[in-house]
Structures are given as C-alpha cells and as structure tokens.
Amino acid sequence: MLDGKIIMITGAGGGIGAATASLAAAEGASVVLTDVNKEAVEATAAAVRAAGGSVLAVAADLTKGDEVNAVVKAAVAAYGRLDGAFNNAGVSGGQIGQQGRRVGEWDEAAFDLAVAVNLKGVWLCMRAQLAQMEQQGGGSIVNTASLAGLTGFKSTAGYAASKHGVVGLTKTAAIEYASSGIRANVLCPGYTDTNLMKEAQRQLGDALLARIPARRLASPDDIAQMACWLLSDRSSYATGSEFVVDGGYMAG
C-alpha cells in the first residue's frame, strides 16, 4: 500500500504512532519517526528495523519550529523527499492534570500546553511538510484529531479546543494546497487502548464499553490501518475530510 513512500510519523514513541510506524514499514514505506521521548522513539525504530523496515528516528519537541524543521530536513537528507506525514503527537487533559475540570477550572498553563502540542505543533509540522511537498509536487498529510474535535466532551476544555482547531486547520490546508497535489485529512479515533485512555478506563470501566456499539476499545492497529490508507494512493480523491474510527460511538 505504501511501497517506496517516505512517511514521517510524529508521536511515534508508543500507541497509535508506534503501530502506524510498524504497519507503514510493513506496507513498504521508509519511515521517519519523531517523538519528544528519545528512548521511546528509538525503541519503536528498533522494532521496525528488526522487522526489516527502513527507519530514521529523530527526537524533537514539536512545539519548537526549529526542531520540527530539523526533522523534515533529516528526512529529505536521508531519503530525498517526503511523500506523507502522520501528525499524531498529542497530549490529553488527563496527562496534564486537568481530569474532571470544567472549562472555567482549567489551569492556564495546562490550557496553553494542550494548544501548543495539539494545535501549534501540528501547524508547525504542516508548515515544514507543505513546503517540501509543494516543492516536489505532492503528498498526503494526515492529522490526528479526536472525537473531541467533532463534539464536546466533559473535562476536555483545552484538549477539545485544540482538536477542533486541528480539524479547521486541516480543512483549510486541503483547500489551499489541492492544486499542488497535496491532500490533507483528519483522523478522529474513538476510545483507543493506549496510555492516554488508562485513566478513563480506570474510572468508567464497563460503563465506557457500554457506550460503544462495538463493545470494545479500538486497538492502535485499528487506527493505524486508516492512517496508512489515507497516506496511500488508494485514497487519492479523499481530502479535507474527517475519518472517524470509533466502533460506532458517534452513530448513537
């Protein structure tokens, strides 16, 4: 599905990012992996390499433009181009101590961090990726939003605001860059079995599964399958859209 393509994946240190790295490599891509956690991204890279994949790992703080630019430059230096990008790195409210807080109760610093990682970080990545893709004549960008990028959820103020922003940013890019052969889409995972979900699982237990028609959480690979399809030429007419993978949650 991705034979010969060069794919950049952010948040590749675990969860959906790591699953997508493994699947993309198995589907024939050379993968450029980045994460703020150097040890984690190198562990993912080692697993891809052990499975026979071509991989480059670069630790970076994606809230800093110079570090983002360095990742894209490293990708081009190693492989000559950049065909696709999965901008997946993110942080949840629970990870930054805001679990259970209403809109007016979020800490300002936590809100700023959510926006910096989830929205500004995606924009910084896109800025560098779009410049390279436009120069070479095309590419595909997939940005991870969330169900909280489509509707409101309690206790998610900064997270939901940033993820709604990702949807708008992606749609704008899709319109502006279609004539350059660049596609941009949003992937909106439902409840997925990753570290981000541990607190929600602990608090809600069976009540969480009862809300999902499929009666299970997504696996990281469930989400990776959609990400790789969107990065591939098989989705060549898809741009500017949200792709929801949620076991039927939003249909209820």
Side-chain angles (χ1 to χ4, degrees):
M1 184 161 55
L2 294 171
D3 221 17
K5 292 191 179 294
I6 313 304
I7 304 295
M8 174 178 167
I9 300 170
T10 76
I16 293 169
T20 304
S22 294
L23 180 61
E27 291 287 347
S30 296
V31 292
V32 178
L33 310 181
T34 188
D35 197 287
V36 71
N37 186 325
K38 183 178 180 180
E39 291 183 357
V41 74
E42 288 181 347
T44 301
V48 170
R49 199 173 291 116
S54 176
V55 58
L56 172 68
V58 185
D61 181 346
L62 300 182
T63 68
K64 298 178 179 178
D66 58 344
E67 296 193 26
V68 171
N69 293 340
V71 177
V72 173
K73 287 179 181 177
V76 175
Y79 295 113
R81 65 187 191 279
L82 182 65
D83 300 305
F86 182 35
N87 297 318
N88 169 71
V91 62
S92 70
Q95 287 180 303
I96 52 179
Q98 306 305 294
Q99 188 70 32
R101 298 192 183 194
R102 298 178 299 170
V103 170
E105 297 165 347
W106 266 56
D107 292 337
E108 184 175 355
F111 192 96
D112 287 346
L113 180 58
V115 172
V117 175
N118 297 345
L119 180 55
K120 184 181 177 182
V122 169
W123 171 69
L124 287 171
C125 286
M126 291 182 74
R127 184 176 67 169
Q129 294 155 359
L130 287 164
Q132 174 61 32
M133 290 177 180
E134 192 166 38
Q135 177 183 323
Q136 67 193 31
S140 176
I141 294 175
V142 181
N143 295 327
T144 299
S146 166
L147 301 186
L150 304 175
T151 189
F153 284 81
K154 290 182 178 179
S155 306
T156 65
Y159 183 76
S162 61
K163 293 301 188 177
H164 273 75
V166 168
V167 173
L169 182 67
T170 307
K171 290 188 172 188
T172 300
I175 294 168
E176 292 176 343
Y177 289 88
S179 61
S180 297
I182 300 170
R183 298 185 296 112
N185 288 290
V186 185
L187 179 52
C188 298
Y191 291 105
T192 305
D193 190 11
T194 68
N195 287 334
L196 288 177
M197 278 301 303
K198 296 304 183 187
E199 180 62 21
Q201 287 178 268
R202 187 188 68 77
Q203 290 188 359
L204 299 174
D206 291 342
L208 174 59
L209 297 182
R211 299 178 187 180
I212 304 170
R215 292 296 187 269
R216 68 174 179 88
L217 301 182
S219 70
D221 188 65
D222 287 327
I223 311 304
Q225 293 285 345
M226 179 61 81
C228 286
W229 180 75
L230 288 170
L231 290 165
S232 80
D233 294 337
R234 296 182 187 181
S235 59
S236 62
Y237 199 58
T239 193
S241 295
E242 308 103 323
F243 289 83
V244 178
V245 185
D246 70 348
Y249 182 96
M250 292 291 283

